[in-house]
Amino acid sequence: MSRRSLLLGLAVGAGAALAGCGVPAAYVQPGDRARRDESGRDKTLDFANWPLYIDTDDEDAAKRPTLDAFTERTGISVHYTEEINDNDEFFGKISPALMNHQETGRDLIVVSDWMAARFTRLGWVQEMDRARQPNVAKYLDPQLRSPAFDEGRRHSVPWQSGITGIAYNRGKLGREIKSTGDLWADDLRGRVTLLSGLDESFALLMQGNGVDVTRWKEDDFHAMCEQVEKLVRKRHIRRFTGNDYIKDLSTGDVLACQAYSGDVIQLQADNPDIEFVVPEEGAELWAESLMIPNLARHKRNAEALIDHYYDPEVAAELAAWVNYVCPVPAARDVLADSDDEELAALAEDPLIFPDDAMRERLAISRDITSTERSPFAKRWNAIVGL
């Protein structure tokens, strides 16, 4: 399952239950989020991440060069687990501890920005000490510095970023796609897919209708749903997908689809006819962010590791492996100066380092609030067939 995919039934999971019956009770006051930090005497750190989301050694997949470099430099050993396969599933795993003011056993986690918004609203993550993170303060991408759910990025720091846009097979389609509206042309009837997850899909579709997604309204959501409902009735939309759109696009079963920038880089390596488009009306810029849960035992160690990954040299090494939008623009110069031609070429890839023209069309969407989530998910899931 994709990192960006939701479990079926968004509105009936653990998060929705909290939203519907007791967010105030689950909320943790700022003064109750920290415990005595053991970082000084215990040089360890527990880091939970998604699968395949960190660099590995070409000859030994168990080795992670950027993590090993951190341990060598600081003496802090990292217990790294790839245990996050879905945002809601992970939320369900650690929420009982957090709502009961207990430690989770993890010092650092990575969740998608819509889930990061939920953790922040509930008061389940700690504010970071930027004085201990000079690289973050200096090198964090300005466009990612202050999302609506965490103004000033006090509780979160992007691990990697990405773009939700449009991928299409130009060779088979025989024309360009420049806007979201181009997906609804007659020659694409039955050959288009959209993402099934509400949080993954709605922003791009609203942008196609000219909505400023940083401040969208309820009416904008329902107008988008009505549009998609009509397209479903016409059988214009082939189906709604998770990351299996990759297979559909590769085989030619679909000619155009909603897609993530990082996936398309991999597709293009096998098929140069596959193109990724940031539509003229705009596309969503998202992030998956590092957060320190309440009562983490090694907060200072976690802050140090985050800052390690904001060293441009380290960020460049990670970006070259994961191929998502790098949240450290200065890493581009590191790759550009590489003697390795393939690495140097990555510096020119706008899907890893968006240029100014592309950035003007990118926006971080306002999150779906806790009161909106249940009715919105119910309507969207009815359209998608979940």
Side-chain angles (χ1 to χ4, degrees):
M1 182 173 286
S2 164
R3 289 190 299 272
R4 298 279 296 166
S5 295
L6 287 163
L7 289 176
L8 303 182
L10 253 170
V12 296
L18 281 172
C21 57
V23 168
Y27 179 78
V28 177
Q29 297 291 340
D32 296 327
R33 298 175 190 174
R35 56 161 292 154
R36 183 176 180 179
D37 197 334
E38 299 177 8
S39 296
R41 65 176 183 82
D42 187 7
K43 296 291 187 179
T44 60
L45 167 67
D46 284 277
F47 181 9
N49 204 348
W50 301 75
L52 305 176
Y53 217 13
I54 198 169
D55 54 305
T56 58
D57 186 87
D58 290 338
E59 297 180 359
D60 184 352
K63 293 182 178 180
R64 303 176 177 94
T66 56
L67 273 186
D68 295 341
F70 173 74
T71 298
E72 184 176 349
R73 180 175 63 82
T74 64
I76 299 170
S77 62
V78 181
H79 178 233
Y80 184 84
T81 56
E82 296 184 334
E83 65 168 314
I84 306 175
N85 293 296
D86 177 276
N87 286 285
D88 275 340
E89 180 182 43
F90 185 67
F91 181 93
K93 182 185 290 187
I94 67 173
S95 60
L98 289 165
M99 74 173 67
N100 288 296
H101 298 231
Q102 298 168 352
E103 61 183 83
T104 67
R106 301 156 183 89
D107 300 298
L108 197 58
I109 61 175
V110 178
V111 293
S112 299
D113 42 11
W114 62 268
M115 181 58 76
R118 186 181 295 175
F119 275 95
T120 303
R121 283 197 302 266
L122 288 166
W124 286 2
V125 289
Q126 299 183 59
E127 184 171 342
M128 298 183 200
D129 184 353
R130 289 288 181 260
R132 297 179 179 275
Q133 298 176 314
N135 288 331
V136 174
K138 182 176 181 179
Y139 294 116
L140 173 57
D141 187 338
Q143 202 163 8
L144 296 169
R145 282 183 180 268
S146 193
F149 72 85
D150 187 20
E151 292 186 12
R153 283 283 181 190
R154 295 177 298 128
H155 304 89
S156 64
V157 175
W159 171 250
Q160 293 292 288
S161 185
I163 303 166
T164 302
I166 297 170
Y168 73 105
N169 189 321
R170 185 170 182 176
K172 289 183 179 292
L173 183 59
R175 64 175 175 85
E176 280 188 283
I177 287 180
K178 295 183 178 180
S179 71
T180 302
D182 290 341
L183 292 174
W184 320 137
D186 289 343
D187 61 347
L188 280 171
R189 184 174 183 270
R191 309 297 294 276
V192 174
T193 62
L194 299 179
L195 296 170
S196 59
L198 171 60
D199 294 89
E200 287 79 4
S201 55
F202 80 88
L204 181 75
L205 299 174
M206 283 188 189
Q207 286 168 306
N209 293 335
V211 174
D212 176 358
V213 294
T214 65
R215 57 186 70 187
W216 60 270
K217 302 290 193 297
E218 182 176 347
D219 288 347
D220 298 321
F221 174 80
H222 290 298
M224 179 272 293
C225 286
E226 289 172 6
Q227 177 190 35
V228 176
E229 284 170 338
K230 290 177 182 178
L231 291 162
V232 170
R233 287 196 296 269
K234 290 180 179 179
R235 299 188 178 181
H236 189 95
I237 297 171
R238 182 183 182 91
R239 68 189 187 104
F240 295 86
T241 74
N243 260 43
D244 43 346
Y245 73 80
I246 296 172
K247 180 181 179 181
D248 290 344
L249 193 60
S250 299
T251 60
D253 288 340
V254 303
L255 299 182
C257 59
Q258 208 171 12
Y260 307 128
S261 55
D263 292 336
V264 175
I265 292 175
Q266 303 301 322
L267 285 170
Q268 289 171 332
D270 297 322
N271 186 348
D273 284 338
I274 303 297
E275 296 197 12
F276 183 85
V277 178
V278 171
E280 294 171 338
E281 309 92 349
E284 182 189 13
L285 179 68
W286 48 263
E288 286 170 327
S289 293
L290 297 146
M291 307 186 91
I292 301 173
N294 289 355
L295 306 181
R297 291 174 175 266
H298 309 98
K299 181 174 185 283
R300 290 198 303 274
N301 290 348
E303 290 168 338
L305 180 63
I306 294 169
D307 204 55
H308 168 74
Y309 277 99
Y310 271 72
D311 179 313
E313 295 279 350
V314 179
E317 189 173 354
L318 181 61
W321 201 89
V322 300
N323 290 167
Y324 279 85
V325 174
C326 181
V328 184
R332 181 183 182 278
D333 293 336
V334 175
L335 291 172
D337 291 340
S338 173
D339 294 331
D340 185 307
E341 290 185 7
E342 290 187 9
L343 291 179
L346 293 177
E348 305 304 319
D349 192 328
L351 300 187
I352 299 177
F353 298 100
D355 56 27
D356 291 342
M358 182 179 287
R359 282 183 178 276
E360 288 179 0
R361 302 197 303 277
L362 299 177
I364 298 176
S365 175
R366 171 179 82 76
D367 184 50
I368 298 171
T369 67
S370 57
T371 55
E372 293 169 334
R373 181 161 294 280
S374 182
F376 284 13
K378 183 177 181 180
R379 181 167 190 189
W380 179 254
N381 290 347
I383 297 170
V384 173
L386 296 179

